Amino acid sequence: MLELDRVSFGWEDDKRVIDGLSLKIREGDKVVILGANGCGKSTLLKLMNGLAVPQSGSISYRNAEPKGRAFRQDCALLFQHPEAMLFNPTVREEIAYGPRQLELPDADERVAHWATALGLGPLLDQPPFLLSGGEKQKVALACLLVLEPKLLLLDEPSASLDPATVGWLIDALLDSDMTVVAATHNLSLAAELGSRCLVLGSGGRLLYDGPVTAALGNLALLEEARLAHRHRHRHDGTLHTHLHVHDWDGS
Ligand SMILES: Nc1ncnc2c1ncn2[C@@H]1O[C@H](COP(=O)(O)OP(=O)(O)OP(=O)(O)O)[C@@H](O)[C@H]1O
Ligand SMILES: [Mg+2]
């Protein structure tokens, strides 16, 4: 569905954020991207969404360039800080904005459906800027889901959502045939959502592309990617260090 071929990209000329990255996302894949702060996860999602353009290498979506109206309709990106994308006077108009732009005949039904699914019903007449961080994130998510994208790119979707909503989101994504690529630091979300994970290391290199469970069991990989860390603490006056993965109990 989406193919990256030796893609390199930097926001500034002298600094590569993504370096010679090749990968394929197949129809229906649920992929998670893991990696430390600043390693290029958000940048990679922007490349996949066509918001950033590779300096070398190429990206194709269904064997064509990722641009144009059809691609925009198929591919949706939830930004890491989604409040930047909210600008309508009410939640209802915010969620309806995309369907109206695309002149979808069932815009109202779609808005009602996704508002209910995300528990936003009581907030429909509120201005988005007055909502809590998590509520804003839910509105931003509803704005994307209402368009029923084929390829959904999520940047830290669980960052401000409560556990019940994260659970709902995982179920909704797993139940759908949408292709999903999600960047996250949340290893339990990764374990539940993804069958496959990409681990980005420093310098924009791909450290790992394979099953999530194997990655989460590979402490050396997790330490290199800064997903695990060494705890130092004292027992009986002796200094111990051991690797520790937060937010993942392996069960
Ligand atoms: N719009 C931008 N202009 C210039 N540099 C940028 C821009 N966006 C990101 N960068 C730089 O690119 C690098 C990768 O950033 P990116 O946001 O992709 O990391 P990330 O893996 O998503 O990190 P985090 O886990 O903190 O979200 C960083 O060094 C960052 O400073
Ligand atoms: Mg990011």
Side-chain angles (χ1 to χ4, degrees), residues 37-38 40-43 80-81 155-156 183 185:
N37 292 136
K41 301 178 298 298
S42 297
T43 302
Q80 188 163 10
H81 302 289
D155 200 347
E156 291 292 349
H185 294 295

Side-chain angles (χ1 to χ4, degrees), residues 95 112-123 134-135 137-143 145-146 161 165 168-169:
I95 304 174
H113 171 80
W114 289 106
T116 306
L118 276 155
L120 294 168
L123 302 175
E135 288 166 344
Q137 188 141 12
K138 288 187 199 180
V139 173
L141 198 53
C143 290
L145 293 173
V146 76
L161 299 180
T165 308
W168 171 86
L169 178 63

Side-chain angles (χ1 to χ4, degrees), residues 37-55:
N37 292 136
C39 74
K41 301 178 298 298
S42 297
T43 302
L44 180 56
L45 290 174
K46 286 175 185 163
L47 285 160
M48 290 179 170
N49 183 238
L51 285 174
V53 178
Q55 274 129 10

Side-chain angles (χ1 to χ4, degrees), residues 224-240:
E224 183 178 0
R226 298 175 58 83
L227 296 165
H229 79 126
R230 263 178 209 284
H231 262 316
R232 280 197 305 273
H233 50 201
R234 287 180 187 279
H235 300 292
D236 310 324
T238 328
L239 186 66
H240 287 262

Side-chain angles (χ1 to χ4, degrees), residues 23 51 59 68 81 127 137 141 151 153 162 196 201 203 205 240:
L23 60 94
L51 285 174
I59 302 182
H81 302 289
Q137 188 141 12
L141 198 53
L151 173 61
L153 308 174
D162 59 49
R196 171 178 168 205
R205 287 173 312 111
H240 287 262

Side-chain angles (χ1 to χ4, degrees), residues 7-28:
V7 167
S8 293
F9 176 83
W11 293 99
E12 282 139 23
D13 290 341
D14 52 342
K15 195 178 154 231
R16 287 241 160 129
V17 177
I18 299 293
D19 192 11
L21 197 141
S22 297
L23 60 94
K24 287 179 188 168
I25 308 284
R26 286 170 294 271
E27 205 92 35

